[in-house]
Amino acid sequence: MDNPRAKLPIGIFDSGIGGISVLAEIIKILPNEEFIYFADTLHAPYGNKPENVVQSLSIKTTEFLSSVGVKCLVVACNTATGAAINEIRRMCAFPVVGMEPAVKPAAELGIKGKILVMATPLTLKSKKFNELIRHYKHRSEIVPLPCPGLVEIIEHGHIHGREIEDYLSRIFSFVNKEDISAIVLGCTHFVLIKEEIVKVMGMEISIIDGNYGTARHLRRTLQNERLLNNGIMEKHKIPLKTNIRFYISRNGKEVIRRCKQLLQNEGIVCESECSHCG
Ligand code: DGL
């Protein structure tokens, strides 16, 4: 018998547009699902705030998405996951999928050299991240690279061009390229500037993010809980069409425009229903 909850949307949140990089991977492997995307642009960036502040913001967002009605929740933010995933899980009667910097797949590549982890200052300070490093340090040398201010540049829509290149050149001037085998993008915003990172660091260094792994983990979770929506199979087409309801806490119209553009760059056309903007 069909599970009636399977027809509900998937809730997904981030401080801003970074979570769209995760959502794009999810839509590609789960084209029959509908989504609610919450971007807390009123409080972005999260990565330079104290942990208890990010915790209470994440809890508020979770309460809101639960009240709107979702069948599961994706915390498309490494910073919020590091600060609040246990509290979020305790609150929810549905499955919750979080994110962590993809150190495991990077270490499993087994390439000689250091693994550089680009993330927000709060992610790199978190207990969760430091446990992750401890777990993999016997395999590879893991070097945290805090990137304060980078999320703000991306939130302002500068994902190409001078400002971002200058920022990256400055931050990478502290590392010796020859020593690095892989860069882990430990913030969902940074996936949006992957091309710029390749430009500055070169093609030889593997650049790894956790987005596809998160999408697969979500699919497995929905399968196990009998929550997959198998209803509308004709959606397996290019361009992929998808329904997303946006809730944006500040500068909504502009943020939605950027989100839709980012999805379109991935071959996804977003037919949003009603959207709610702060
Ligand atoms: N996109 C978020 C992450 O993955 C955080 C950005 C922020 O600092 O708000 O960590």
Side-chain angles (χ1 to χ4, degrees), residues 187-203:
C187 169
T188 53
H189 279 76
F190 302 167
V191 181
L192 303 173
I193 55 158
K194 199 166 169 174
E195 277 176 31
E196 302 301 306
I197 296 173
V198 172
K199 255 195 222 161
V200 178
M201 289 300 268
M203 302 276 278

Side-chain angles (χ1 to χ4, degrees), residues 14-16 18-19 44-48 76-80 120 123 151 186-189:
D14 181 34
S15 62
Y46 280 3
N48 62 4
C77 176
N78 295 264
T79 311
T120 66
T123 295
V151 167
C187 169
T188 53
H189 279 76

Side-chain angles (χ1 to χ4, degrees), residues 17-38:
I17 60 174
I20 292 292
S21 67
V22 187
L23 179 56
E25 292 305 314
I26 294 174
I27 293 168
K28 287 177 198 165
I29 67 165
L30 292 171
N32 293 322
E33 302 293 340
E34 300 195 344
F35 301 91
I36 295 183
Y37 187 82
F38 184 97

